[in-house]
Coordinates of all heavy atoms in Angstrom, one line a residue:
L67 N -2.7 13.5 -14.2 CA -4.0 13.0 -14.6 C -5.2 13.8 -13.9 O -6.1 14.0 -14.5 CB -4.1 11.5 -14.4 CG -3.3 10.6 -15.2 CD1 -3.3 9.2 -14.7 CD2 -3.6 10.7 -16.7
K68 N -5.0 14.1 -12.6 CA -5.9 14.8 -11.9 C -6.1 16.2 -12.5 O -7.2 16.7 -12.7 CB -5.6 14.9 -10.4 CG -6.6 15.6 -9.6 CD -6.2 15.6 -8.1 CE -7.2 16.5 -7.4 NZ -6.9 17.9 -7.4
R69 N -5.0 16.9 -12.7 CA -5.0 18.3 -13.2 C -5.7 18.4 -14.6 O -6.3 19.3 -14.9 CB -3.5 18.7 -13.4 CG -3.3 20.2 -13.3 CD -1.9 20.7 -13.3 NE -1.1 19.9 -12.4 CZ 0.1 19.4 -12.7 NH1 0.6 19.6 -13.8 NH2 0.8 18.7 -11.8
N70 N -5.6 17.3 -15.4 CA -6.2 17.3 -16.7 C -7.6 16.8 -16.6 O -8.3 16.7 -17.7 CB -5.4 16.4 -17.7 CG -4.1 17.0 -18.0 OD1 -3.9 18.2 -18.0 ND2 -3.1 16.2 -18.2
G71 N -8.1 16.4 -15.5 CA -9.5 16.0 -15.3 C -9.7 14.5 -15.6 O -10.9 14.0 -15.6
S72 N -8.6 13.7 -15.8 CA -8.8 12.3 -16.0 C -9.1 11.5 -14.7 O -9.6 10.4 -14.8 CB -7.5 11.7 -16.6 OG -7.4 12.4 -17.9
L73 N -8.7 12.1 -13.6 CA -9.0 11.5 -12.3 C -9.8 12.5 -11.4 O -9.4 13.6 -11.3 CB -7.7 11.2 -11.6 CG -6.9 10.0 -12.0 CD1 -5.6 9.9 -11.2 CD2 -7.6 8.7 -11.9
N74 N -10.8 11.9 -10.8 CA -11.5 12.7 -9.8 C -10.7 12.7 -8.4 O -9.8 12.0 -8.3 CB -12.9 12.3 -9.6 CG -13.1 10.9 -9.0 OD1 -12.2 10.5 -8.2 ND2 -14.1 10.2 -9.4
Q75 N -11.1 13.6 -7.5 CA -10.3 13.7 -6.2 C -10.3 12.4 -5.5 O -9.3 12.0 -4.9 CB -10.9 14.8 -5.4 CG -10.1 15.1 -4.2 CD -8.9 15.7 -4.4 OE1 -8.5 16.4 -5.4 NE2 -7.8 15.4 -3.5
E76 N -11.4 11.7 -5.4 CA -11.5 10.4 -4.7 C -10.6 9.4 -5.2 O -9.8 8.8 -4.5 CB -12.9 9.9 -4.7 CG -13.1 8.6 -4.0 CD -14.5 8.0 -4.1 OE1 -15.3 8.5 -4.8 OE2 -14.7 7.0 -3.4
D77 N -10.5 9.3 -6.5 CA -9.6 8.3 -7.1 C -8.1 8.6 -7.0 O -7.3 7.9 -6.8 CB -10.0 8.0 -8.6 CG -11.3 7.4 -8.8 OD1 -11.8 6.6 -7.8 OD2 -11.9 7.5 -9.9
F78 N -7.9 10.0 -7.2 CA -6.5 10.5 -6.9 C -6.0 10.2 -5.6 O -4.9 9.7 -5.4 CB -6.5 12.0 -7.2 CG -5.2 12.7 -7.0 CD1 -4.1 12.5 -7.9 CD2 -5.0 13.4 -5.8 CE1 -2.9 13.1 -7.6 CE2 -3.8 14.0 -5.5 CZ -2.7 13.8 -6.5
E79 N -6.8 10.4 -4.6 CA -6.4 10.2 -3.2 C -6.2 8.7 -2.9 O -5.3 8.3 -2.2 CB -7.5 10.8 -2.3 CG -7.3 12.3 -2.2 CD -8.4 12.9 -1.3 OE1 -9.2 12.2 -0.6 OE2 -8.5 14.2 -1.3
A80 N -7.1 7.9 -3.5 CA -7.0 6.4 -3.3 C -5.7 6.0 -3.9 O -5.0 5.1 -3.3 CB -8.2 5.7 -3.9
L81 N -5.4 6.4 -5.1 CA -4.2 5.9 -5.8 C -2.9 6.4 -5.2 O -2.0 5.6 -4.9 CB -4.3 6.3 -7.3 CG -5.4 5.6 -8.1 CD1 -5.5 6.2 -9.5 CD2 -5.2 4.1 -8.1
T82 N -2.9 7.7 -4.8 CA -1.7 8.3 -4.2 C -1.4 7.7 -2.8 O -0.3 7.4 -2.4 CB -1.6 9.8 -4.2 OG1 -2.8 10.2 -3.5 CG2 -1.6 10.4 -5.6
S83 N -2.5 7.6 -2.1 CA -2.3 7.0 -0.7 C -1.9 5.6 -0.7 O -1.0 5.2 0.0 CB -3.6 7.2 0.1 OG -3.6 6.6 1.3
G84 N -2.5 4.9 -1.6 CA -2.2 3.4 -1.7 C -0.8 3.3 -2.2 O -0.1 2.4 -1.7
Y85 N -0.4 4.0 -3.2 CA 1.0 4.0 -3.7 C 2.0 4.3 -2.6 O 3.0 3.6 -2.4 CB 1.3 5.0 -4.9 CG 2.7 5.0 -5.2 CD1 3.2 4.0 -6.1 CD2 3.5 6.0 -4.8 CE1 4.5 4.0 -6.5 CE2 4.9 6.1 -5.2 CZ 5.4 5.1 -6.0 OH 6.7 5.1 -6.3
S86 N 1.7 5.3 -1.7 CA 2.6 5.7 -0.7 C 2.8 4.5 0.3 O 3.9 4.2 0.7 CB 2.1 6.9 0.0 OG 2.9 7.2 1.1
V87 N 1.7 3.9 0.7 CA 1.8 2.8 1.7 C 2.5 1.6 1.0 O 3.4 1.0 1.7 CB 0.4 2.4 2.2 CG1 0.5 1.1 3.0 CG2 -0.2 3.5 3.1
L88 N 2.1 1.3 -0.2 CA 2.7 0.0 -0.8 C 4.2 0.3 -1.0 O 5.0 -0.6 -0.9 CB 2.0 -0.3 -2.1 CG 0.6 -0.7 -2.0 CD1 -0.1 -0.8 -3.2 CD2 0.5 -2.0 -1.2
R89 N 4.6 1.5 -1.5 CA 6.0 1.8 -1.6 C 6.8 1.7 -0.3 O 7.9 1.3 -0.4 CB 6.2 3.2 -2.3 CG 7.5 3.6 -2.6 CD 8.0 2.8 -3.8 NE 9.4 3.0 -4.1 CZ 10.5 2.2 -3.8 NH1 10.2 1.1 -3.3 NH2 11.7 2.6 -4.0
S90 N 6.2 2.3 0.7 CA 6.9 2.2 2.0 C 7.1 0.8 2.5 O 8.2 0.4 3.0 CB 6.1 3.0 3.0 OG 6.0 4.4 2.8
V91 N 6.1 0.0 2.3 CA 6.2 -1.4 2.7 C 7.3 -2.2 1.9 O 8.1 -2.9 2.4 CB 4.8 -2.2 2.6 CG1 5.0 -3.7 2.7 CG2 3.9 -1.7 3.6
D92 N 7.3 -1.9 0.5 CA 8.2 -2.5 -0.3 C 9.7 -2.1 0.1 O 10.6 -2.9 0.2 CB 8.1 -2.1 -1.8 CG 9.0 -2.7 -2.7 OD1 9.1 -3.9 -2.8 OD2 9.8 -1.9 -3.3
H93 N 9.9 -0.8 0.4 CA 11.2 -0.3 0.8 C 11.6 -1.1 2.2 O 12.8 -1.5 2.3 CB 11.1 1.2 1.1 CG 12.4 1.8 1.5 ND1 13.5 1.8 0.7 CD2 12.8 2.3 2.7 CE1 14.5 2.4 1.3 NE2 14.1 2.6 2.5
Q94 N 10.7 -1.1 3.1 CA 11.1 -1.7 4.4 C 11.3 -3.2 4.2 O 12.1 -3.8 4.9 CB 10.0 -1.5 5.5 CG 10.0 -0.1 5.9 CD 11.3 0.3 6.5 OE1 12.0 -0.4 7.2 NE2 11.7 1.6 6.2
L95 N 10.6 -3.8 3.3 CA 10.8 -5.3 3.0 C 12.2 -5.5 2.6 O 12.8 -6.4 2.9 CB 9.7 -5.7 2.0 CG 9.8 -7.2 1.5 CD1 9.5 -8.1 2.7 CD2 8.7 -7.4 0.4
R96 N 12.6 -4.7 1.6 CA 14.0 -4.8 1.1 C 15.0 -4.6 2.2 O 16.1 -5.3 2.2 CB 14.2 -3.8 0.0 CG 13.4 -4.1 -1.3 CD 13.5 -3.0 -2.3 NE 12.6 -3.2 -3.4 CZ 12.9 -3.3 -4.7 NH1 14.1 -3.3 -5.0 NH2 12.0 -3.4 -5.5
L97 N 14.8 -3.6 3.1 CA 15.8 -3.4 4.1 C 15.8 -4.5 5.1 O 16.8 -4.9 5.7 CB 15.4 -2.0 4.8 CG 15.6 -0.8 4.0 CD1 15.1 0.4 4.8 CD2 17.1 -0.6 3.7
T98 N 14.6 -5.0 5.5 CA 14.5 -6.0 6.4 C 15.1 -7.3 6.0 O 15.8 -8.0 6.7 CB 13.0 -6.3 6.9 OG1 12.5 -5.0 7.4 CG2 12.8 -7.2 7.9
L99 N 14.7 -7.8 4.7 CA 15.1 -9.1 4.2 C 16.4 -9.0 3.4 O 17.1 -10.0 3.1 CB 14.0 -9.7 3.4 CG 12.7 -10.0 4.1 CD1 11.7 -10.6 3.2 CD2 12.9 -10.9 5.4
G100 N 16.8 -7.8 3.1 CA 18.1 -7.6 2.3 C 18.0 -8.0 0.9 O 19.0 -8.2 0.2
K101 N 16.7 -8.2 0.3 CA 16.5 -8.6 -1.0 C 15.1 -8.3 -1.4 O 14.2 -8.0 -0.6 CB 16.8 -10.0 -1.2 CG 15.9 -11.0 -0.4 CD 16.2 -12.5 -0.6 CE 15.2 -13.3 0.3 NZ 15.4 -14.7 0.1
V102 N 14.9 -8.4 -2.7 CA 13.5 -8.2 -3.2 C 12.8 -9.5 -3.0 O 13.3 -10.6 -3.3 CB 13.5 -8.0 -4.8 CG1 12.1 -7.9 -5.3 CG2 14.2 -6.6 -5.0
A103 N 11.6 -9.5 -2.3 CA 10.9 -10.7 -2.0 C 9.5 -10.4 -1.9 O 9.0 -9.2 -1.7 CB 11.4 -11.2 -0.7
A104 N 8.6 -11.4 -1.9 CA 7.2 -11.3 -1.6 C 7.0 -10.9 -0.2 O 7.8 -11.3 0.7 CB 6.5 -12.5 -2.0
L105 N 6.0 -10.2 0.2 CA 5.7 -9.9 1.5 C 5.5 -11.1 2.3 O 4.7 -12.0 1.9 CB 4.4 -9.0 1.6 CG 4.1 -8.4 2.9 CD1 5.2 -7.3 3.3 CD2 2.8 -7.6 2.8
P106 N 6.1 -11.3 3.5 CA 5.9 -12.5 4.3 C 4.5 -12.5 4.9 O 3.8 -11.5 5.0 CB 7.0 -12.3 5.4 CG 7.3 -10.9 5.4 CD 7.0 -10.4 4.1
S107 N 4.1 -13.7 5.3 CA 2.8 -13.8 5.9 C 2.7 -13.0 7.2 O 3.8 -12.7 7.8 CB 2.5 -15.4 6.2 OG 3.3 -15.7 7.3
T108 N 1.5 -12.7 7.5 CA 1.3 -11.9 8.8 C 1.8 -12.5 10.0 O 2.0 -11.8 11.0 CB -0.2 -11.5 8.9 OG1 -0.9 -12.7 9.0 CG2 -0.6 -10.6 7.8
T109 N 2.0 -13.8 10.1 CA 2.6 -14.5 11.2 C 4.1 -14.5 11.2 O 4.6 -15.0 12.3 CB 2.0 -15.9 11.3 OG1 2.3 -16.6 10.1 CG2 0.5 -15.9 11.4
H110 N 4.7 -14.1 10.2 CA 6.2 -14.2 10.1 C 6.7 -13.0 10.9 O 6.3 -11.9 10.8 CB 6.6 -14.0 8.6 CG 8.0 -14.4 8.3 ND1 9.1 -13.5 8.7 CD2 8.6 -15.6 7.9 CE1 10.2 -14.1 8.4 NE2 10.0 -15.3 7.9
P111 N 7.9 -13.2 11.6 CA 8.5 -12.2 12.4 C 8.9 -11.0 11.6 O 8.8 -9.8 12.1 CB 9.7 -12.8 13.0 CG 9.4 -14.3 13.1 CD 8.5 -14.6 11.9
A112 N 9.3 -11.2 10.3 CA 9.6 -10.0 9.5 C 8.4 -9.1 9.2 O 8.6 -7.9 9.1 CB 10.2 -10.5 8.2
F113 N 7.2 -9.7 9.2 CA 6.0 -8.8 9.0 C 5.9 -7.8 10.2 O 5.6 -6.7 10.0 CB 4.8 -9.7 8.8 CG 3.7 -8.9 8.3 CD1 3.4 -8.7 6.9 CD2 2.7 -8.3 9.1 CE1 2.3 -8.0 6.5 CE2 1.6 -7.6 8.7 CZ 1.5 -7.4 7.3
E114 N 6.0 -8.4 11.4 CA 5.9 -7.6 12.6 C 7.0 -6.5 12.6 O 6.8 -5.3 12.9 CB 6.1 -8.4 13.8 CG 4.9 -9.2 14.1 CD 3.7 -8.3 14.6 OE1 3.9 -7.3 15.3 OE2 2.5 -8.8 14.4
E115 N 8.3 -6.8 12.2 CA 9.3 -5.9 12.1 C 9.0 -4.8 11.1 O 9.3 -3.6 11.3 CB 10.7 -6.6 11.8 CG 11.8 -5.7 11.8 CD 13.2 -6.4 11.5 OE1 13.2 -7.6 11.6 OE2 14.1 -5.6 11.3
I116 N 8.5 -5.1 10.0 CA 8.2 -4.1 8.9 C 7.1 -3.2 9.5 O 7.2 -2.0 9.3 CB 7.8 -4.8 7.6 CG1 8.9 -5.5 6.9 CG2 7.0 -3.8 6.7 CD1 8.5 -6.4 5.9
A117 N 6.1 -3.8 10.1 CA 5.0 -2.9 10.8 C 5.6 -2.0 11.7 O 5.3 -0.8 11.7 CB 4.0 -3.8 11.4
T118 N 6.5 -2.4 12.6 CA 7.1 -1.5 13.6 C 8.0 -0.5 13.0 O 7.8 0.7 13.4 CB 8.0 -2.4 14.6 OG1 7.2 -3.4 15.2 CG2 8.6 -1.6 15.6
R119 N 8.7 -0.8 12.0 CA 9.5 0.2 11.3 C 8.7 1.3 10.7 O 9.1 2.4 10.5 CB 10.4 -0.5 10.3 CG 11.5 -1.2 10.8 CD 12.4 -1.8 9.7 NE 13.5 -2.5 10.2 CZ 14.6 -2.7 9.5 NH1 14.8 -2.2 8.2 NH2 15.7 -3.3 10.0
L120 N 7.5 0.9 10.2 CA 6.6 1.9 9.6 C 5.7 2.7 10.6 O 4.9 3.4 10.2 CB 5.7 1.1 8.5 CG 6.5 0.7 7.3 CD1 5.6 -0.2 6.4 CD2 7.0 1.8 6.5
G121 N 5.9 2.3 11.8 CA 5.1 3.1 12.9 C 3.8 2.5 13.3 O 3.1 3.1 14.0
F122 N 3.5 1.2 12.8 CA 2.3 0.6 13.3 C 2.5 0.0 14.6 O 3.7 -0.5 15.0 CB 1.9 -0.5 12.2 CG 1.5 0.1 10.9 CD1 2.3 0.3 9.8 CD2 0.2 0.6 10.7 CE1 1.9 0.8 8.6 CE2 -0.3 1.2 9.5 CZ 0.6 1.3 8.5
T123 N 1.5 -0.2 15.4 CA 1.6 -0.8 16.7 C 1.7 -2.3 16.6 O 2.2 -2.9 17.6 CB 0.4 -0.4 17.6 OG1 -0.8 -0.8 17.0 CG2 0.4 1.1 17.9
A124 N 1.2 -2.9 15.6 CA 1.3 -4.4 15.4 C 1.1 -4.7 13.9 O 0.6 -3.9 13.1 CB 0.2 -5.0 16.3
G125 N 1.5 -5.9 13.6 CA 1.4 -6.4 12.3 C -0.1 -6.4 11.8 O -0.4 -6.1 10.6
G126 N -1.0 -6.7 12.7 CA -2.4 -6.7 12.3 C -2.9 -5.3 11.9 O -3.8 -5.2 10.9
E127 N -2.4 -4.2 12.4 CA -2.7 -2.9 12.0 C -2.2 -2.6 10.6 O -2.9 -2.1 9.7 CB -2.1 -1.9 13.0 CG -2.5 -0.4 12.7 CD -1.9 0.6 13.6 OE1 -1.1 0.2 14.6 OE2 -2.2 1.7 13.5
L128 N -0.9 -3.1 10.3 CA -0.4 -2.9 8.9 C -1.2 -3.8 8.0 O -1.5 -3.3 6.9 CB 1.0 -3.4 8.9 CG 1.7 -3.5 7.5 CD1 1.6 -2.2 6.8 CD2 3.1 -4.0 7.6
S129 N -1.5 -5.0 8.3 CA -2.3 -5.8 7.4 C -3.7 -5.2 7.1 O -4.2 -5.2 5.9 CB -2.5 -7.2 8.1 OG -3.3 -8.1 7.4
E130 N -4.3 -4.6 8.1 CA -5.6 -3.9 7.9 C -5.5 -2.8 7.0 O -6.3 -2.6 6.1 CB -6.2 -3.5 9.3 CG -7.6 -3.0 9.1 CD -8.2 -2.6 10.5 OE1 -8.0 -3.4 11.5 OE2 -8.7 -1.5 10.6
T131 N -4.5 -2.0 7.2 CA -4.2 -0.8 6.4 C -3.9 -1.2 5.0 O -4.4 -0.6 4.0 CB -3.0 0.1 6.9 OG1 -3.4 0.5 8.3 CG2 -2.7 1.2 6.1
L132 N -3.1 -2.2 4.8 CA -2.8 -2.7 3.4 C -4.1 -3.1 2.7 O -4.3 -2.8 1.5 CB -1.9 -3.8 3.5 CG -0.3 -3.5 3.6 CD1 0.5 -4.8 3.9 CD2 0.2 -2.7 2.4
G133 N -4.9 -3.9 3.4 CA -6.2 -4.4 2.8 C -7.0 -3.2 2.4 O -7.6 -3.2 1.3
E134 N -7.2 -2.2 3.3 CA -7.9 -1.1 3.0 C -7.5 -0.3 1.8 O -8.2 0.1 0.9 CB -8.1 -0.1 4.2 CG -8.7 -0.5 5.4 CD -8.5 0.4 6.6 OE1 -7.7 1.3 6.5 OE2 -9.1 0.0 7.6
R135 N -6.2 -0.1 1.7 CA -5.7 0.7 0.6 C -5.7 -0.1 -0.7 O -6.0 0.4 -1.8 CB -4.1 0.9 0.9 CG -3.9 2.0 2.0 CD -4.5 3.3 1.7 NE -4.6 4.3 2.8 CZ -3.9 4.6 3.9 NH1 -2.8 3.8 4.1 NH2 -4.2 5.5 4.7
M136 N -5.6 -1.4 -0.7 CA -5.6 -2.3 -1.8 C -7.1 -2.3 -2.4 O -7.3 -2.2 -3.6 CB -5.1 -3.6 -1.5 CG -3.5 -3.6 -1.4 SD -2.9 -5.1 -0.7 CE -3.0 -6.2 -2.1
R137 N -8.0 -2.4 -1.5 CA -9.4 -2.3 -1.9 C -9.8 -0.9 -2.5 O -10.4 -0.9 -3.6 CB -10.4 -2.6 -0.7 CG -10.4 -4.1 -0.4 CD -11.4 -4.4 0.7 NE -11.2 -3.7 2.0 CZ -10.4 -4.2 2.9 NH1 -9.7 -5.4 2.7 NH2 -10.2 -3.5 4.1
A138 N -9.3 0.1 -2.0 CA -9.5 1.5 -2.5 C -8.9 1.6 -3.9 O -9.4 2.2 -4.8 CB -9.0 2.5 -1.5
I139 N -7.7 1.1 -4.1 CA -7.0 1.1 -5.3 C -7.8 0.3 -6.4 O -8.0 0.8 -7.5 CB -5.6 0.5 -5.3 CG1 -4.7 1.5 -4.5 CG2 -5.0 0.3 -6.6 CD1 -3.3 0.9 -4.1
R140 N -8.3 -0.9 -6.0 CA -9.1 -1.6 -6.9 C -10.4 -1.0 -7.3 O -10.8 -1.0 -8.4 CB -9.4 -3.0 -6.3 CG -10.1 -3.9 -7.1 CD -9.4 -4.3 -8.3 NE -10.1 -5.2 -9.2 CZ -9.7 -5.6 -10.3 NH1 -8.4 -5.4 -10.7 NH2 -10.4 -6.4 -11.1
A141 N -11.1 -0.3 -6.3 CA -12.3 0.4 -6.6 C -12.0 1.5 -7.6 O -12.8 1.8 -8.5 CB -12.9 0.9 -5.3
A142 N -10.9 2.2 -7.3 CA -10.5 3.4 -8.2 C -10.3 2.9 -9.7 O -10.8 3.4 -10.7 CB -9.4 4.2 -7.8
Y143 N -9.6 1.8 -9.7 CA -9.3 1.2 -11.0 C -10.6 0.8 -11.7 O -10.8 1.0 -12.9 CB -8.4 -0.1 -10.8 CG -8.2 -0.9 -12.0 CD1 -7.2 -0.6 -13.0 CD2 -8.9 -2.1 -12.3 CE1 -7.1 -1.3 -14.1 CE2 -8.8 -2.8 -13.4 CZ -7.9 -2.5 -14.3 OH -7.7 -3.2 -15.5
E144 N -11.5 0.2 -11.0 CA -12.7 -0.2 -11.7 C -13.6 0.9 -12.1 O -14.2 0.9 -13.2 CB -13.6 -1.2 -10.7 CG -12.9 -2.5 -10.5 CD -13.5 -3.4 -9.5 OE1 -14.5 -3.0 -8.8 OE2 -13.1 -4.5 -9.4
R145 N -13.6 2.0 -11.3 CA -14.3 3.2 -11.7 C -13.7 3.8 -13.0 O -14.4 4.3 -13.9 CB -14.3 4.2 -10.7 CG -15.3 4.0 -9.5 CD -15.5 5.2 -8.6 NE -14.3 5.5 -7.9 CZ -13.9 4.9 -6.7 NH1 -14.7 4.0 -6.2 NH2 -12.8 5.3 -6.1
I146 N -12.3 3.9 -13.0 CA -11.6 4.5 -14.2 C -11.8 3.7 -15.4 O -12.0 4.2 -16.4 CB -10.1 4.6 -13.7 CG1 -9.9 5.7 -12.7 CG2 -9.3 5.0 -15.0 CD1 -8.6 5.6 -12.0
T147 N -11.7 2.4 -15.3 CA -11.8 1.5 -16.4 C -13.2 1.1 -16.9 O -13.4 0.5 -17.9 CB -10.9 0.3 -16.3 OG1 -11.4 -0.6 -15.2 CG2 -9.4 0.7 -16.1
G148 N -14.1 1.3 -15.9 CA -15.4 0.9 -16.2 C -15.7 -0.6 -16.1 O -16.6 -1.1 -16.7
T149 N -14.8 -1.3 -15.3 CA -15.0 -2.8 -15.2 C -15.6 -3.1 -13.9 O -15.7 -2.4 -13.0 CB -13.6 -3.5 -15.4 OG1 -12.8 -3.0 -14.3 CG2 -13.0 -3.3 -16.8

């Protein structure tokens, strides 16, 4: 989409970066819990374990990164769709 001009650089980076983080979290979630599941709350021990496996110093850092990436994805979506 970027190559064809459908996405600008900012939206491309927001979507690819966001996908990368979300995919990594999903993968670690499956490995940690042994099944497909919703992300546990930030106070759950599994959340801290996932954060550690992904190289974050604490669950709060992962939570902040997820929030940032999700907001960037939403902003890109709204720019692309005009909503």
